[in-house]
Every structure is written in structure tokens, then in C-alpha cells.
Amino acid sequence: MSSTRLSDRQRRIVEFIGDFLDEHGYPPTVRDIGRAVGISSTSVVDYNLKRLEREGYLKRVRDVSRGIELVGDGDRRSRGAFTEVPVIGRIAAGEPIEAVEERDRDRLLLSPSLAEEGCFALRVKGKSMIEDLIDDGDVVVVRPQSTADNGDIVVALLTEASDEPGRATLKRLYRERDRVRLQPANSALNPIFVDPASLRVQGKVVAVIRQM
Amino acid sequence: MSSTRLSDRQRRIVEFIGDFLDEHGYPPTVRDIGRAVGISSTSVVDYNLKRLEREGYLKRVRDVSRGIELVGDGDRRSRGAFTEVPVIGRIAAGEPIEAVEERDRDRLLLSPSLAEEGCFALRVKGKSMIEDLIDDGDVVVVRPQSTADNGDIVVALLTEASDEPGRATLKRLYRERDRVRLQPANSALNPIFVDPASLRVQGKVVAVIRQM
DNA sequence: CCTCCCTCAGAACGGCTGTTCTAACCACAG
DNA sequence: CTGTGGTTAGAACAGCCGTTCTGAGGGAGG
């Protein structure tokens, strides 16, 4: 298998297939490709398509007209792959999350590199994390997980056992001996110390988005 | 023209075409549709396709195999519209933008509410805007425009006429009598004063994105 | 009942389309 | 020179595919 780079002709074929798909919504025929790339013989197109398939640039379905599908980088359908992240409410230090009705939720579309599937977002209320550069009104993208590393910014739920019942909070989490410190990033505010048993980590902040 | 709603059969046809497209990447043939919907005659499929085209549910290309394209709501390609924003380089206070080769650019997908078409993004280098909560490594989304209001955070280009030739900078912009003040958000840094003639506003920061 | 219109079935036609076969050309190594 | 492997061209084949024609049910209105 010659794993050399594609010939000029082959690159033009892949590019043309993508253009054709964008324009028409269906793949080109072997003869369409030949005409576009300047190949008079269908067998030569077929030859190059077979080669491109072996190299992993596309997939073909035998005996099916227009049975060509681009894969990987060439696939312009997946060039628009994105993650949909619902903004499910507002969070403020030490108060319950203000949930938003599902039908009123904003939905953010984000690159998969920014937020993986399953994430949610919360709008931040207040300046309790201002020294971590999270402002009032910012949106934090949260990846759901029940554990967190020391120093992670997490959405934590204080259960009834604690002295702050049923409240959600956005804080940095630090484990200390037999307790957990929830540290705001605002020197005007004091940390909260809780029993690990009365704390439930809801998720970790993976991104911050601010609109101006 | 009977603008009544679609028959059960016709709804199933539209739905099948969408499913087929999602699965295969190319549209079905008339016979594929017939098989899926339980129609033995190609003429009946053709008849219903013509009807669906007249009602605006799809477009067809005559005499072209698989020449079917869903339009409007049925078009799953356009589901979840987003804006593609290229990260075209890095910007630091008072240094030229470090451009990135086009093929190496990251591309962010963002909700249209976050960034309209035509925006670009820059990765921030340094802490010159730290007091505006823009950190080293953050990404700023910039809407191209040549004017700016007082206090806007802008990407500004200092042209050769000025004492800081050919440099781009990220600053807050304030117009003062016969000069412009470019104000960093870092008390350790001093503002730059420039002649309005030697300043070109490239765009305004509309969003800040931070990954953690 | 008859007629008209919409919907449907089956068959056939002609062109489109993927595939294959043969042959040629070229660069390169033996 | 000769042979070999990679690439291209042209032609032909068989099957796929959109289209069209004929005809038939079936309900609405006369």
C-alpha cells in the first residue's frame, strides 16, 4: 500500500466530490468526476476512486449509483459537528440553582473541543468567583461528574445533612483532612467547610463564556 | 393546488428520505423509496414525489439518479445552524498578531447568538487585559468593524505613521479631544496615546471564551 | 348510472451508471 | 534492451433508474 501523499489528480477528485455534495446535496457520478477533473475514461476515475478508498479518503458502495461517501476531514457533513449545550439555569454562591423551564432554555452550540456531549451550562449570578475571572452574567459550561480534583471549579450541591441545606454553589473545591473546603474566589467572601458526606459534586467547569 | 396536509404515505416518504440521507450520505432512488414505504410501482413513487415537490417539501433534478434534495424543515443538513469562527492567530498587547496558517487554524463553532457570520477569533497572549477578566490564553471573538464606541474593547492596528508601527493590540478605546487613548486593563501597564489618523480599528470584541 | 378527478399498479423504454476488459504509455530497475 | 509496476484511455456490458404510458379502482357530484 503506497502510503504516499495523494497525486494532484486525486486531491482534485476529493475536493470536487466535496464541492459537488455541498452544491447538490448528493454525490457525483463517476462520469461527473471525470468531466470535472479532466478524465475522459470512466475506468480511470474508477481506478482513482478505488485507490482513494484504500487510502481511507472515502467509502464506496458497490453497484450503487453515486455510492460515494467522504470520510474524515473530507466529510463536510461532519465539518459542522457541534455539541448542543442547554443553559439550564442560573447559579449563585450558596443559593439553589434557578432552573429554567425546558422550553425557555437557551441552547448553545459549541465545538466538541469546547464542550463534549452531555454538558450543560449555567449563567453565573454574582461576583463570588470574580478573582478567577468569572464575572456576573458569565456562562459556565459544566461537564457532569461526581468527583473532582483539588482546585477544580465545581458545581456542588450541599445536601440536607449540612448546615446549608439544598443549595447549589459554584466554588473551587479542596479536600482537607476530614472536611472539604469550598473556596470562593472573592476575598470579601469566606470559604465554606463541609462534611464530605453532605456534599455532592454535580460537575466541573470546563469552559467560561462571556458575551459583551 | 390542494394545500391540504400531506397524506400518511407522503409523510412517510419525506421521513424516509431524511433517514436514508443520514444513514448513507446520498439520497435514495425511486425504487428505494417504494420498497421502504410499501409501494410496488415506481410511477406511484414518482407521482407522490412530484406532489411533494409542488408542495415545497423537496426539490428534484430531472433525469438525475437520486436527484432529490430535502428543503426547509426536512433538510437535516441545516438543522442546528451555527457560525464557524476561525481562530486566526494570537494577539498580545503591542505586538503584531501572530497569524496562523490557514490550514492549521482551529475552528470554533458557536451559536449565532454568540458570534455572527464573519467574525474571527484570536487567542490572547499576556495579561494586559486581566482586569477586564481576560486572561492569558483566553480566546476573544471579534466582530470586524472599523469604528468603535468609547470604552469598547477593540483590536486596533497602529499604522506606520504612529510611534508604534505596524502593531496590533487589544485594548479599550477612548477618544479624547484630538487623540485616542488605548487603555490596557492592567494597572502595571500604561495607556498608549495615538493620533486618530494612525489608528485603524479592526474589530470589536463581542465574546470571551476560556477553556479550563 | 355516468363522468371527472385523484390515487394507484404494472410494464416498458431509453438513458444513465458502475464495472470490467484490453491496450497503451511511461518511469525505472535489471 | 527487457520486464515490471503504476497510471491512463477507450470501448463495451449489464444492470440501475427516472420517466412515461396504459389501465384500473374509488369517491364526489351531477
Side-chain angles (χ1 to χ4, degrees):
Chain A
M1 181 175 300
S2 63
S3 66
T4 54
R5 267 200 312 287
L6 278 55
S7 74
D8 189 63
R9 215 171 218 187
Q10 286 160 3
R11 242 180 304 107
R12 281 168 64 199
I13 289 180
V14 172
E15 190 179 346
F16 170 72
I17 294 173
D19 291 346
F20 193 99
L21 272 169
D22 280 347
E23 187 176 354
H24 297 94
Y26 49 81
T29 67
V30 169
R31 287 172 177 82
D32 287 334
I33 298 172
R35 218 171 301 127
V37 189
I39 300 176
S40 66
S41 172
T42 59
S43 67
V44 179
V45 176
D46 185 65
Y47 167 79
N48 283 288
L49 287 178
K50 280 197 173 79
R51 238 179 150 309
L52 286 168
E53 184 176 22
R54 225 183 323 138
E55 302 280 341
Y57 288 89
L58 46 85
K59 275 196 293 188
R60 293 181 78 194
V61 186
R62 271 187 61 97
D63 291 318
V64 166
S65 71
R66 305 174 193 272
I68 302 177
E69 190 180 354
L70 291 182
V71 288
D73 295 345
D75 187 353
R76 314 206 174 169
R77 283 194 303 169
S78 71
R79 198 172 283 182
F82 54 83
T83 309
E84 198 167 344
V85 179
V87 183
I88 63 173
R90 288 161 60 88
I91 186 172
E95 292 177 21
I97 291 178
E98 287 178 24
V100 176
E101 283 301 315
E102 182 153 356
R103 56 181 48 208
D104 294 334
R105 285 176 188 170
D106 285 336
R107 293 187 166 275
L108 288 176
L109 301 175
L110 299 175
S111 303
S113 60
L114 225 51
E116 56 225 82
E117 205 63 46
C119 287
F120 60 91
L122 294 167
R123 196 167 288 278
V124 175
K125 204 167 134 188
K127 301 206 172 232
S128 66
M129 297 299 286
I130 192 74
E131 288 159 22
D132 277 334
L133 308 177
I134 300 175
D135 200 2
D136 185 31
D138 287 2
V139 171
V140 290
V141 178
V142 181
R143 184 206 308 145
Q145 56 186 55
S146 55
T147 62
D149 296 330
N150 255 358
D152 281 352
I153 301 180
V154 300
V155 174
L157 195 64
L158 302 167
T159 61
E160 301 140 25
S162 92
D163 55 345
E164 294 274 347
R167 306 196 145 184
T169 184
L170 184 70
K171 295 265 190 314
R172 277 193 190 270
L173 176 143
Y174 296 93
R175 305 182 188 284
E176 301 180 340
R177 261 169 303 191
D178 56 348
R179 64 183 187 183
V180 169
R181 172 162 56 96
L182 294 174
Q183 180 71 50
N186 185 332
S187 33
L189 300 176
N190 292 322
I192 303 176
F193 298 97
V194 297
D195 179 5
S198 65
L199 178 85
R200 268 183 40 209
V201 173
Q202 307 267 74
K204 170 185 170 181
V205 173
V206 294
V208 181
I209 296 172
R210 180 180 314 130
Q211 258 181 295
M212 322 195 65
Chain B
M1 183 172 302
S2 62
S3 66
T4 53
R5 268 200 311 286
L6 278 56
S7 75
D8 187 61
R9 214 172 219 188
Q10 286 159 2
R11 243 179 302 109
R12 282 168 62 199
I13 288 179
V14 172
E15 189 179 347
F16 170 72
I17 295 174
D19 291 345
F20 193 99
L21 271 169
D22 280 347
E23 187 176 354
H24 296 93
Y26 48 81
T29 67
V30 169
R31 286 172 177 82
D32 287 334
I33 298 173
R35 218 171 300 127
V37 190
I39 299 177
S40 65
S41 173
T42 59
S43 68
V44 179
V45 176
D46 186 66
Y47 167 79
N48 281 288
L49 286 178
K50 280 197 173 79
R51 238 177 151 308
L52 286 169
E53 184 175 22
R54 227 184 322 140
E55 303 279 341
Y57 288 90
L58 46 85
K59 274 197 292 187
R60 294 181 78 195
V61 186
R62 270 188 62 96
D63 291 318
V64 166
S65 71
R66 305 174 191 272
I68 301 177
E69 191 179 354
L70 291 181
V71 289
D73 296 344
D75 187 354
R76 315 206 175 170
R77 285 193 303 170
S78 68
R79 222 174 259 183
F82 54 86
T83 308
E84 195 168 345
V85 179
V87 183
I88 63 172
R90 290 162 58 89
I91 187 172
E95 293 179 20
I97 291 179
E98 285 178 26
V100 176
E101 282 302 313
E102 182 154 354
R103 57 181 49 207
D104 294 334
R105 285 177 188 168
D106 284 336
R107 295 185 167 276
L108 288 176
L109 301 175
L110 299 174
S111 303
S113 61
L114 225 50
E116 57 226 79
E117 204 62 48
C119 287
F120 60 92
L122 294 167
R123 195 167 290 276
V124 176
K125 204 168 136 188
K127 301 208 172 229
S128 66
M129 295 301 284
I130 192 73
E131 288 159 22
D132 277 334
L133 307 179
I134 299 175
D135 200 1
D136 186 29
D138 287 2
V139 171
V140 291
V141 178
V142 181
R143 186 207 303 144
Q145 56 186 52
S146 55
T147 61
D149 295 331
N150 256 357
D152 280 352
I153 300 179
V154 300
V155 174
L157 194 66
L158 303 168
T159 61
E160 302 140 25
S162 91
D163 55 346
E164 295 274 346
R167 307 193 145 189
T169 185
L170 184 69
K171 296 263 189 317
R172 278 193 188 270
L173 178 144
Y174 295 93
R175 306 182 187 285
E176 300 180 342
R177 262 169 304 192
D178 56 350
R179 66 182 186 181
V180 170
R181 172 162 57 96
L182 294 174
Q183 180 71 50
N186 184 332
S187 32
L189 300 176
N190 292 322
I192 302 176
F193 299 97
V194 296
D195 179 6
S198 65
L199 179 86
R200 267 183 42 209
V201 174
Q202 307 267 75
K204 169 185 169 179
V205 172
V206 294
V208 180
I209 297 172
R210 180 180 315 131
Q211 258 182 294
M212 325 194 65

